[in-house]
Amino acid sequence: MPKMKTRRGAAKRFSLTAKGKIKRNKAFASHILTKKTSKRKRSLRKSGLLHKSDVAGIKRLIPYM
C-alpha cells in the first residue's frame, strides 16, 4: 500500500504539542486592526488549541504528525 500524502496547507497551519494536542494560530489578526481593541489584538497574537470536535478531521489531513 502506498504512503499517505500529507495536506501541506494543513501541515503549515497546525502543529502538535508534547501531549498530542493540536496547536493553531488565531484568525482575524492580519488586517482591519484599527477597530479592534488592544486587548483583543494582544490575545490574537497567542496560539490556541484546536477544539476536540475538529481534532479527528485535522489528524486525517496530517497523518504523520
Side-chain angles (χ1 to χ4, degrees), residues 1-64:
M1 195 164 136
K3 288 190 270 187
M4 292 173 66
K5 285 192 173 182
T6 298
R7 302 294 175 114
R8 297 311 299 163
K12 292 168 190 174
R13 285 170 172 80
F14 302 104
S15 60
L16 225 58
T17 62
K19 294 202 173 189
K21 295 177 180 177
I22 298 178
K23 195 166 66 171
R24 67 175 183 89
N25 287 323
K26 293 184 181 171
F28 308 109
S30 59
H31 64 109
I32 314 177
L33 297 171
T34 51
K35 64 175 82 167
K36 294 170 188 161
T37 63
S38 300
K39 180 180 177 180
R40 183 174 166 195
K41 287 185 278 192
R42 204 164 44 245
S43 73
L44 288 172
R45 276 187 232 138
K46 300 169 186 166
S47 59
L49 293 175
L50 205 63
H51 193 266
K52 64 180 180 181
S53 62
D54 298 322
V55 169
I58 297 301
K59 283 198 171 177
R60 201 174 301 127
L61 299 176
I62 313 167
Y64 299 109

